[in-house]
Amino acid sequence: MKSWIRWAVLHGLPRRYLTMRARDGEPLPQILMGSGAEQDPYPFGDRIREQGRLVRTSITWVTADHEVCRKILRDKNFGVSTPDTLELPRPLLRLVRATDLKLANPIEPPSMLMVDPPQHTRYRKLVAQEFTPRAIGRLHDRIVEVTDELLAGLAARRNADLIEDFAKRLPVAIICEILGVPKEEQDYMLELGHAGAPLLDVGISWRAFSRAIAALRASEEFIEGHVARLRVDPGDNILSELAVSGILTMPELKATAALIAGAGFETTVNLLGNGMVALHEHPDQLDLLRAEPDRWPGAIEEILRFGSPVQLTARTALCDTEIVGHPIARSESVTLLLGAANRDPAVFADPGAFDVTRANAREHLSFSSGVHSCLGASLARMEGAVALSALYERFPELRLAGTPERRGLVNLRGYQRIPAAPGLPAVRRTV
């Protein structure tokens, strides 16, 4: 009953209202509810941008403007959006607090994703050492090794699913090593992470919510057991250091581990899947990369811009403030359409074109900006460049063997399945 009440307040009531507004043709509710936006959300973002740089809707403020998004993400007058910062009506806020499930949820405090400085600063400093350029650089050889192992597995298949057999496997292997999770438990970690992904959407169904909560409970039990093992037998990984040091409370430690695990592979899985489909649909760009492989790092930036793995986020005004001439009152929220901002024609020429030579592709907001910029951005970029360049080098005859299937999520935009026929592999590359 507690879970159902929580769903009703956080998702059920918003779902009913958003569905009505979507039927009335409002673009933001259409995006949030996937009303025609699941396959292509960008025309809806264009409609919002045509209304102004910052638009007041029946729900919230919204922007698809690149400059406005970046400004708000970096503005200390804005913080993360939670029931407390939004100042929900007292009866609803009391229900939210009374139904707190006390789970290690990456999208609820004390997750680093959902707290502001100074609490956020404290958490981030504790894990930042694992994601410095030097630390990421040390992972390069391991990323190459895992990639080659996965490609060897593809070579033995006449038909494959590039998501299940490749895109999922690389990032989960690397993030599990960062967290000290044994190889035999990687599949379980992957399953739990994907099951909780719908919680980043707004107005999800009770069925999706209940499945996600069940996954969070299982994940919490796993993390507690894993932390207990690391305290007895610590390894050379960030979670061992945090577990042994005792610097974090158990709820903080579980939330940090859950966030690293989920964020560590969700973005990269979508990056790889979106990239493979974009290159399939633009063979001239793939031919260019094969002829000039030094362009792969730039191509990863264009993939991130063209098909942002994370489509939106929200910020709440911490005080009365003003953005591009619009007064924003304390506790009012702004929905930032990151994917649409990445196609802002004021910043990116011919934004609907996929161009791996685009000079300013790195200006995308797919990794957010400001204090909440993605800690693992460098890792995701490296995994993307290594994995995709190796895939197309190893399998020059790679082709899709069916229509790619979307995940059916709004915020984490990617593919559930990409059927493919790898073809005969080229001579194994040397590293």
Side-chain angles (χ1 to χ4, degrees):
M1 179 58 73
K2 181 184 285 190
S3 293
W4 187 89
I5 294 173
R6 190 170 186 81
W7 166 80
V9 174
L10 296 179
H11 292 279
L13 292 175
R15 179 184 179 86
R16 186 171 183 177
Y17 181 77
L18 288 170
T19 299
M20 291 190 298
R21 305 310 300 184
R23 288 172 181 167
D24 291 338
E26 288 193 29
L28 179 58
Q30 288 177 324
I31 291 173
L32 296 177
M33 298 309 298
S35 306
E38 181 180 317
Q39 293 301 317
D40 187 3
Y42 302 112
F44 297 87
D46 291 339
R47 285 172 55 193
I48 290 171
R49 189 161 39 240
E50 289 168 1
Q51 296 176 32
R53 302 185 67 191
L54 184 62
V55 180
R56 189 70 175 96
T57 73
S58 62
I59 311 163
T60 180
W61 291 92
V62 61
T63 181
D65 184 283
H66 184 279
E67 182 183 352
V68 174
C69 284
R70 184 165 59 181
K71 178 177 176 59
I72 291 175
L73 289 170
R74 296 180 176 184
D75 193 332
K76 294 181 180 179
N77 290 329
F78 286 87
V80 294
S81 296
T82 67
D84 284 305
T85 60
L86 289 170
E87 295 187 353
L88 291 179
R90 288 185 180 179
L92 293 182
L93 188 56
R94 282 198 295 267
L95 282 175
V96 171
R97 290 173 175 169
T99 58
D100 187 350
L101 301 176
K102 306 294 184 182
L103 295 174
N105 190 338
I107 63 164
E108 291 185 6
S111 166
M112 181 178 14
L113 187 67
M114 297 306 296
V115 295
D116 291 318
Q119 192 177 4
H120 171 271
T121 307
R122 172 174 170 255
Y123 295 154
R124 190 171 177 112
K125 283 183 177 179
L126 291 174
V127 299
Q129 59 181 312
E130 196 70 28
F131 298 96
T132 63
R134 178 177 295 181
I136 298 302
R138 289 197 297 266
L139 286 172
H140 179 270
D141 289 349
R142 181 58 183 150
I143 293 171
V144 171
E145 182 180 357
V146 173
T147 298
D148 283 346
E149 292 173 358
L150 294 171
L151 294 181
L154 287 181
R157 298 172 179 266
R158 293 183 60 184
N159 294 287
D161 176 0
L162 294 179
I163 296 296
E164 183 63 35
D165 300 325
F166 185 59
K168 285 183 179 180
R169 301 295 165 181
L170 172 61
V172 76
I174 300 304
I175 209 66
C176 281
E177 292 191 10
I178 289 175
L179 293 175
V181 175
K183 185 175 182 179
E184 59 270 20
E185 294 177 332
Q186 289 179 7
D187 284 354
Y188 186 59
M189 286 284 290
L190 186 60
E191 178 184 343
L192 294 177
H194 277 288
L199 291 172
L200 280 100
D201 284 352
V202 178
I204 63 176
S205 68
W206 162 244
R207 184 179 182 183
F209 181 82
S210 59
R211 285 181 174 177
I213 294 302
L216 286 184
R217 287 197 175 99
S219 176
E220 178 154 306
E221 291 177 6
F222 174 83
I223 292 172
E224 285 181 349
H226 183 53
V227 168
R229 291 192 298 269
L230 292 179
R231 283 176 169 163
V232 174
D233 184 20
D236 184 17
N237 57 77
I238 185 63
L239 196 55
S240 288
E241 293 181 23
L242 295 176
V244 172
S245 69
I247 199 169
L248 294 177
T249 65
M250 181 55 78
E252 290 174 330
L253 185 58
K254 289 188 294 187
T256 299
L259 177 61
I260 293 174
F265 58 77
E266 284 290 350
T267 300
T268 308
V269 171
N270 289 349
L271 160 61
L272 294 175
N274 294 346
M276 289 184 283
V277 173
L279 290 168
H280 167 75
E281 293 176 344
H282 301 84
D284 59 317
Q285 299 298 293
L286 179 56
D287 289 343
L288 176 59
L289 290 169
R290 281 173 164 153
E292 302 178 37
D294 288 346
R295 291 189 178 274
W296 271 109
I300 297 303
E301 303 301 334
E302 177 67 352
I303 290 168
L304 287 163
R305 182 203 71 83
F306 185 75
S308 179
V310 179
Q311 285 288 303
L312 57 92
T313 189
R315 292 292 184 267
T316 299
L318 303 177
C319 60
D320 292 345
T321 186
E322 182 178 296
I323 295 292
V324 291
H326 294 279
I328 310 294
R330 180 181 180 274
S331 82
E332 286 190 320
S333 69
V334 184
T335 297
L336 311 176
L337 300 179
L338 305 179
N342 287 341
R343 296 195 178 199
D344 187 343
V347 177
F348 303 103
D350 194 9
F354 179 65
D355 179 6
V356 298
T357 69
R358 189 181 297 274
N360 70 337
R362 197 180 175 96
E363 292 182 28
H364 65 77
L365 298 173
S366 296
F367 291 126
S368 190
S369 189
V371 296
H372 282 280
S373 60
C374 179
L375 197 58
S378 295
L379 176 59
R381 286 180 165 110
M382 181 184 292
E383 289 174 326
V386 169
L388 291 181
S389 62
L391 174 68
Y392 289 105
E393 179 184 347
R394 187 77 181 276
F395 297 101
E397 298 177 359
L398 176 70
R399 60 180 178 82
L400 298 194
T403 303
E405 299 174 12
R406 287 278 179 190
R407 295 183 65 180
L409 302 177
V410 172
N411 202 357
L412 293 177
R413 182 169 169 79
Y415 288 90
Q416 182 70 29
R417 184 171 178 268
I418 303 179
L424 295 175
V427 175
R428 187 178 179 85
R429 66 193 178 98
T430 57
V431 179

